[in-house]
């Protein structure tokens, strides 16, 4: 009977374990995690996120017509086309490294170009597989940045000394 009771306590703990993968990318916007129906993906070192998730989080209006994405917020408008590396911000063209694309029936756009186009700061925390976006009007406290640095230090420690971050990444992910 003790063995049966012990087993009942062991199973839930092991079922709760978490294994991070390279596709488990957290997108944080002003200290809130963005929930996406299609997980973010990394292509050629660039993170792509579902169109609606990022534009709505930024408070931008977005329309999609025949592969052309038009979004506006305040005085800024950006235009992207599926498969094209050209992005227009307020009529001025620039090149991006990875074009917007359709993945699993979702339009995926490069998070950095979208966020920066609407005056947000974007940081990549590779050890935590996290994109951290801060709106220019949002104020972060110094302790939050110190905490993120602390998490990165912990993850580096585990990677250096134990060769794997997967278990520890779960514990420290924001």
């Amino acid at each position: 009977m003790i063995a049966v009771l012990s087993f009942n306590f062991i199973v839930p703990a092991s079922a709760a374990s978490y294994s991070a993968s390279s596709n488990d990318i957290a997108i944080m916007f002003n200290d809130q995690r963005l929930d996406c129906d299609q997980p973010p993906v990394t292509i050629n070192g660039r993170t792509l996120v579902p169109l609606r998730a990022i534009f709505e989080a930024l408070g931008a209006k977005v329309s999609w017509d025949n592969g052309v994405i038009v979004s506006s917020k305040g005085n800024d408008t950006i235009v992207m086309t599926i498969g094209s590396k050209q992005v227009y911000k307020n009529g001025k063209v620039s090149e991006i490294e990875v074009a917007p694309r359709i993945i699993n029936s979702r339009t995926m756009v490069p998070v950095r170009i979208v966020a920066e186009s609407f005056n947000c700061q974007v940081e990549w925390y590779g050890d935590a597989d996290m994109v951290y976006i801060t709106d220019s009007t949002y104020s972060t406290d110094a302790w939050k940045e110190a905490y993120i640095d602390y998490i990165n230090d912990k993850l580096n420690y585990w990677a250096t000394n134990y060769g794997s971050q997967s278990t520890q990444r779960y514990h420290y992910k924001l």
Side-chain angles (χ1 to χ4, degrees), residues 27-95:
I27 307 295
M28 302 294 291
F29 177 68
N30 292 345
D31 296 330
Q32 299 294 315
R33 185 176 179 140
L34 277 163
D35 291 321
C36 305
D37 58 353
Q38 160 66 39
V41 296
T42 301
I43 299 173
N44 295 333
R46 298 293 175 230
T47 302
L48 280 73
V49 295
L51 169 134
R52 293 251 176 236
I54 188 65
F55 285 114
E56 287 177 1
L58 295 173
K61 295 179 183 177
V62 64
S63 65
W64 191 98
D65 184 29
N66 203 25
V68 177
I69 303 158
V70 179
S71 181
S72 61
K73 178 181 176 185
N75 295 325
D76 295 318
T77 300
I78 61 171
V79 179
M80 299 184 283
T81 303
I82 300 296
S84 173
K85 292 183 177 183
Q86 293 185 330
V87 175
Y88 295 86
K89 179 180 178 184
N90 300 330
K92 295 180 182 177
V93 67
S94 61
E95 288 281 321

Side-chain angles (χ1 to χ4, degrees), residues 1-16:
M1 183 168 218
I2 293 173
V4 171
L5 289 174
S6 298
F7 182 73
N8 285 338
F9 290 111
I10 292 170
V11 171
S14 63

Side-chain angles (χ1 to χ4, degrees), residues 14-155:
S14 63
S17 67
Y18 180 84
S19 176
S21 70
S22 61
N23 290 333
D24 187 31
I25 301 168
I27 307 295
M28 302 294 291
F29 177 68
N30 292 345
D31 296 330
Q32 299 294 315
R33 185 176 179 140
L34 277 163
D35 291 321
C36 305
D37 58 353
Q38 160 66 39
V41 296
T42 301
I43 299 173
N44 295 333
R46 298 293 175 230
T47 302
L48 280 73
V49 295
L51 169 134
R52 293 251 176 236
I54 188 65
F55 285 114
E56 287 177 1
L58 295 173
K61 295 179 183 177
V62 64
S63 65
W64 191 98
D65 184 29
N66 203 25
V68 177
I69 303 158
V70 179
S71 181
S72 61
K73 178 181 176 185
N75 295 325
D76 295 318
T77 300
I78 61 171
V79 179
M80 299 184 283
T81 303
I82 300 296
S84 173
K85 292 183 177 183
Q86 293 185 330
V87 175
Y88 295 86
K89 179 180 178 184
N90 300 330
K92 295 180 182 177
V93 67
S94 61
E95 288 281 321
I96 56 177
E97 294 181 28
V98 177
R101 60 189 67 203
I102 308 280
I103 299 175
N104 295 328
S105 301
R106 293 290 180 260
T107 302
M108 305 291 283
V109 295
V111 67
R112 181 173 297 277
I113 190 67
V114 170
E116 288 179 349
S117 291
F118 293 122
N119 303 313
C120 292
Q121 180 180 348
V122 180
E123 297 181 54
W124 167 248
Y125 294 97
D127 292 337
D129 286 338
M130 178 175 61
V131 175
Y132 194 86
I133 305 166
T134 308
D135 188 287
S136 60
T137 62
Y138 185 76
S139 91
T140 57
D141 299 324
W143 72 268
K144 292 176 187 173
E145 296 198 19
Y147 185 65
I148 290 170
D149 290 340
Y150 170 78
I151 291 170
N152 284 329
D153 289 342
K154 283 291 197 183
L155 291 171

